[in-house]
Amino acid sequence: MRKKIFQIFCISCVGFSTFYANAQPLGDRVVASVNGAPILQSQVNQLLKNRSATPVARQKALDELINQALIETTLQQSKITVPPQQFQQILNQEIERQMQLIAQHNGMSYGQFIVVLTQEGVNLEQYRARLAEQIAPGLYRQIQLATLRSQIIGQEVNILRQSINRNELQALAAKLEEETKASGKHMAITATQYNVRHILLTTNPLLSDKEAKAKLTQIRKDILDKKISFGKAALEYSKDYLSGANGGELGYQFPEMYSPTFAKTILSTPQGKISQPFKSTFGWHILEVIGNRQQNVTNDVYMQKAYEILMRDKLGVLEKNWIYLLRQNANIQIN
């Protein structure tokens, strides 16, 4: 049983192989280079071993090798690393997944598999350690590759956004809304906008977090004690000078327009009440919700759906072809 278990494990844990695993045979010809890394005729021949050796097949094999070399050299140059704690967490999850797969291959539940290992005298910690040794190199490589792909695609996202034509967006949004109407499920969509006023204090070498919070606490107390109005306090103290000149008022907006902490405080503060001091990415605030209203956002919702569909389609194409973005800045020589 033990031999069979480990055999299945080895089959299930095939990872990435090292690109240049073999020494260059004597007389082997360099057919291309990628960022200085050679691609050998023997490597092309190896890929063609079970294929027809037509010119088209040879070119496809060479392209595959160029892509592999491009990934290798880019990973080496980018020096992508995975934080040890994060990698250990992912590795532990993969070990458990592999053990569940081994159990399934042997026709057992996970619990039965553990029992069998124990009955055969297998130390579970040592078993997991052995799996980790076999899994870790390939898993680390997969994470590096996924990170590289995300970086490459991330660099193109802004270009993708700009490539979306507004007329195309509006046409798709109208189509989506018409389809909803035809299904009989169409209804107006409303959302709440809030009119908020706030006072902002920003920290600096002369005003620490603790001091900013204490100062806002005192300002809030003075407002509640009627010693000063909110509007006058905003004009006198707020570092958001635009709203401060308007008594701290920001006008009607959807909470999502603000930073997450600010939005959360809007939703948790009853109208007419002044919040406790809280910190956002901009500094320390107190706020008061002074009004709310329902706003029809039906068109905005369908525009957002259309945008997500168009972006998803474009990203899907990019994910399939991301490696070709590497070629734009690569030094590829074909002999």
Side-chain angles (χ1 to χ4, degrees):
M1 170 64 76
R2 191 183 309 173
K3 183 177 180 181
K4 184 179 179 184
I5 289 172
F6 282 117
Q7 182 179 10
I8 292 175
F9 164 72
C10 291
I11 292 173
S12 66
C13 292
V14 175
F16 287 93
S17 60
T18 304
F19 183 64
Y20 298 108
N22 302 317
Q24 180 177 347
L26 187 64
D28 202 353
R29 187 167 70 91
V30 175
V31 294
S33 66
V34 179
N35 295 331
I39 295 175
L40 309 177
Q41 182 64 58
S42 61
Q43 292 174 296
V44 178
N45 294 340
Q46 182 65 29
L47 275 185
L48 290 170
K49 199 169 184 180
N50 297 316
R51 310 180 192 178
S52 58
T54 64
V56 173
R58 285 187 176 276
Q59 183 59 52
K60 185 177 180 181
L62 181 58
D63 281 339
E64 289 179 23
L65 291 168
I66 286 173
N67 289 344
Q68 291 177 28
L70 192 53
I71 290 172
E72 285 288 340
T73 56
T74 305
L75 282 174
Q76 291 172 9
Q77 293 168 1
S78 61
K79 298 180 180 178
I80 294 172
T81 58
V82 185
Q85 186 175 358
Q86 178 186 353
F87 178 69
Q88 188 61 52
Q89 182 179 5
I90 297 172
L91 178 59
N92 291 340
Q93 293 171 352
E94 182 61 18
I95 289 170
E96 292 305 309
R97 190 182 76 86
Q98 289 292 343
M99 290 179 68
Q100 289 174 0
L101 286 175
I102 297 167
Q104 290 174 14
H105 280 300
N106 284 274
M108 294 181 285
S109 69
Y110 184 74
Q112 290 171 332
F113 175 63
I114 298 299
V115 170
V116 169
L117 286 179
T118 304
Q119 289 175 343
E120 293 191 4
V122 177
N123 182 291
L124 289 180
E125 291 306 312
Q126 291 178 356
Y127 185 72
R128 286 190 172 93
R130 179 175 175 180
L131 296 190
E133 289 177 1
Q134 297 183 56
I135 293 172
L139 181 62
Y140 195 91
R141 171 59 176 265
Q142 290 181 52
I143 297 172
Q144 285 182 309
L145 187 60
T147 303
L148 175 63
R149 181 176 59 198
S150 296
Q151 289 178 354
I152 297 300
I153 293 175
Q155 293 169 5
E156 299 294 314
V157 168
N158 285 333
I159 297 175
L160 285 183
R161 289 196 183 104
Q162 295 169 9
S163 71
I164 293 180
N165 182 280
R166 184 163 184 83
N167 292 333
E168 180 184 16
L169 188 63
Q170 290 175 330
L172 180 56
K175 179 184 176 183
L176 292 172
E177 188 168 7
E178 286 301 318
E179 289 174 350
T180 307
K181 288 179 180 178
S183 69
K185 298 179 181 179
H186 185 270
M187 62 178 64
I189 302 170
T190 62
T192 306
Q193 290 184 320
Y194 295 86
N195 190 9
V196 175
R197 58 184 178 183
H198 81 131
I199 297 172
L200 167 69
L201 294 184
T202 55
T203 58
N204 55 59
L206 300 178
L207 187 69
S208 67
D209 272 336
K210 184 177 180 180
E211 291 168 334
K213 182 179 181 180
K215 187 173 181 179
L216 273 177
T217 300
Q218 184 60 52
I219 292 172
R220 179 179 183 274
K221 185 177 184 304
D222 289 344
I223 295 171
L224 293 175
D225 291 343
K226 310 295 185 184
K227 293 181 179 179
I228 190 172
S229 69
F230 197 108
K232 187 175 180 181
L235 180 62
E236 185 172 340
Y237 298 111
S238 183
K239 298 305 178 184
D240 180 356
Y241 300 110
L242 290 177
S243 70
N246 194 36
E249 191 170 337
L250 297 169
Y252 280 96
Q253 297 286 354
F254 295 109
E256 294 78 11
M257 297 296 294
Y258 302 108
S259 68
T261 306
F262 200 94
K264 183 179 180 180
T265 307
I266 291 174
L267 296 174
S268 63
T269 302
Q271 185 170 322
K273 301 293 184 180
I274 301 175
S275 73
Q276 294 291 339
F278 65 95
K279 188 179 181 182
S280 77
T281 53
F282 300 98
W284 282 87
H285 311 254
I286 55 173
L287 66 75
E288 180 184 6
V289 178
I290 57 178
N292 67 74
R293 68 185 184 189
Q294 293 296 305
Q295 189 75 2
N296 190 314
V297 293
T298 306
N299 183 65
D300 294 334
V301 169
Y302 282 101
M303 287 287 281
Q304 180 63 30
K305 286 184 178 179
Y307 173 80
E308 290 172 359
I309 290 172
L310 292 175
M311 278 295 291
R312 186 169 62 245
D313 290 344
K314 290 177 181 292
L315 281 171
V317 172
L318 190 58
E319 286 175 353
K320 291 179 180 178
N321 301 291
W322 69 273
I323 194 169
Y324 290 99
L325 295 172
L326 292 176
R327 291 188 179 229
Q328 297 176 2
N329 299 314
N331 178 17
I332 300 174
Q333 302 290 331
I334 299 178
N335 300 330

